[in-house]
């Protein structure tokens, strides 16, 4: 199911609105050619994928979703006039990150825990993923990193032009990160140690550069 959902949603996340979404779907299902066989074959494959999802994952859409969807499509349409590649999902991610940091509700805590403690390709441990913590703080401040060629946020990427250590610490200790602090109560000592090590390393490097005599 996950690969099929990824196939359906990834083209939209890339941005560009309905026009780009249609182009991406045609590429995905081999419908770029104008021949009848490619159109029919692509449509059959698309229908089969949709039926697989609907049969395996029964769901219903609340009525208010239609109102929200209409509002989002309208806002996206206005933005697409100025930028034909505009992607409302990517642009909204900093707002989502700030919600994860601030709202102290069980469902938000669960989502935040899944982001920060889930197993990754490069790290199979169940502990806190510090890269994800720093990336999330940067995301909340509006600096978002993506993998090359990917359509969504790279949860492990810390942007080079993002928050400084001082600004990240201020955000972590502010009222805007209450939910995050509650989740990290058991990890405070480790986080403080990491911050101290990075600050010390940076200070030592600057001291060495300052006090090293110039070469003749």
């Amino acid at each position: 199911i996950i690969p099929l959902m990824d196939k359906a949603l990834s083209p939209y996340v890339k941005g560009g609105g309905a026009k780009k979404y249609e182009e991406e779907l045609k590429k995905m299902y081999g419908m770029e050619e104008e021949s009848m066989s490619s159109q029919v074959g692509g449509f059959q494959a698309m229908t089969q994928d949709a039926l697989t999802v609907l049969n395996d994952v029964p769901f219903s859409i609340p009525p208010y979703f239609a109102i929200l969807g209409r509002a989002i499509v309208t806002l996206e349409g206005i933005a697409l006039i100025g930028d034909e590649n505009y992607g409302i999902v990517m642009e909204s991610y900093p707002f989502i990150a700030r919600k994860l940091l601030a709202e102290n509700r069980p469902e938000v805590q669960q989502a935040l825990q899944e982001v920060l403690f889930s197993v990754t390709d490069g790290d199979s441990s169940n502990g806190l993923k510090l890269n994800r913590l720093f990336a999330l703080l940067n995301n909340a401040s509006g600096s978002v990193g993506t993998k090359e060629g990917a359509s969504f946020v790279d949860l492990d990427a810390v942007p080079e032009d993002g928050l400084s250590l001082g600004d990240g610490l201020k955000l972590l200790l502010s009222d805007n990160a209450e939910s995050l602090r509650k989740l990290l109560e058991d990890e405070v000592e480790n986080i403080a140690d990491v911050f101290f090590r990075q600050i010390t390393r940076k200070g030592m490097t600057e001291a060495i550069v300052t006090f090293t005599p110039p070469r003749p």
Side-chain angles (χ1 to χ4, degrees):
I1 297 302
I2 292 177
L4 294 180
M5 295 301 293
D6 180 63
K7 185 186 291 188
L9 296 176
S10 291
Y12 179 71
V13 173
K14 290 181 179 179
K19 184 177 180 181
K20 290 288 180 68
Y21 183 73
E22 181 183 358
E23 292 175 359
E24 290 292 331
L25 280 184
K26 285 184 175 180
K27 288 180 184 178
M28 200 176 297
Y29 287 98
M31 300 169 66
E32 292 180 282
E33 299 179 7
E34 295 298 328
S35 65
M36 181 62 70
S37 59
S38 65
Q39 297 293 319
V40 172
F43 183 76
Q44 288 177 340
M46 193 185 306
T47 303
Q48 185 59 49
D49 285 348
L51 289 174
T52 299
V53 173
L54 291 174
N55 290 332
D56 291 357
V57 188
F59 65 92
S60 60
I61 300 176
Y64 65 86
F65 263 49
I67 299 174
L68 291 175
R70 188 179 301 172
I72 290 173
V73 169
T74 300
L75 291 173
E76 184 180 45
I78 295 172
L80 285 167
I81 295 174
D83 179 5
E84 63 179 15
N85 294 315
Y86 178 82
I88 195 168
V89 175
M90 290 292 291
E91 295 296 332
S92 301
Y93 188 73
F95 171 79
I96 296 171
R98 287 192 289 272
K99 284 287 187 182
L100 286 174
L101 293 182
E103 291 202 7
N104 194 12
R105 293 184 287 135
E107 57 270 27
V108 174
Q109 287 274 302
Q110 182 179 355
L112 190 57
Q113 186 170 19
E114 289 178 359
V115 169
L116 295 179
F117 291 87
S118 62
V119 174
T120 63
D121 293 336
D123 186 356
S124 59
S125 65
N126 293 320
L128 174 67
K129 307 299 185 292
L130 289 172
N131 266 2
R132 289 197 169 186
L133 173 60
F134 298 145
L136 185 63
L137 291 171
N138 277 277
N139 298 159
S141 70
S143 184
V144 179
T146 58
K147 287 182 179 178
E148 185 177 354
S151 59
F152 194 57
V153 176
D154 183 358
L155 298 176
D156 299 300
V158 180
E160 295 181 1
D161 57 346
L163 291 173
S164 65
L165 285 174
D167 290 337
L169 190 57
K170 286 179 182 177
L171 177 56
L172 183 61
L173 297 176
S174 71
D175 293 338
N176 295 326
E178 180 181 355
S179 177
L180 178 61
R181 285 199 306 277
K182 182 177 180 180
L183 182 66
L184 298 179
E185 285 177 354
D186 296 334
E187 301 285 344
V188 169
E189 185 177 342
N190 292 335
I191 295 170
D193 181 61
V194 171
F195 272 115
F196 178 75
R197 288 172 182 270
Q198 292 198 12
I199 292 171
T200 302
R201 188 181 300 115
K202 184 177 180 181
M204 289 294 292
T205 302
E206 292 177 352
I208 291 172
V209 172
T210 301
F211 292 108
T212 300
R215 294 182 178 179

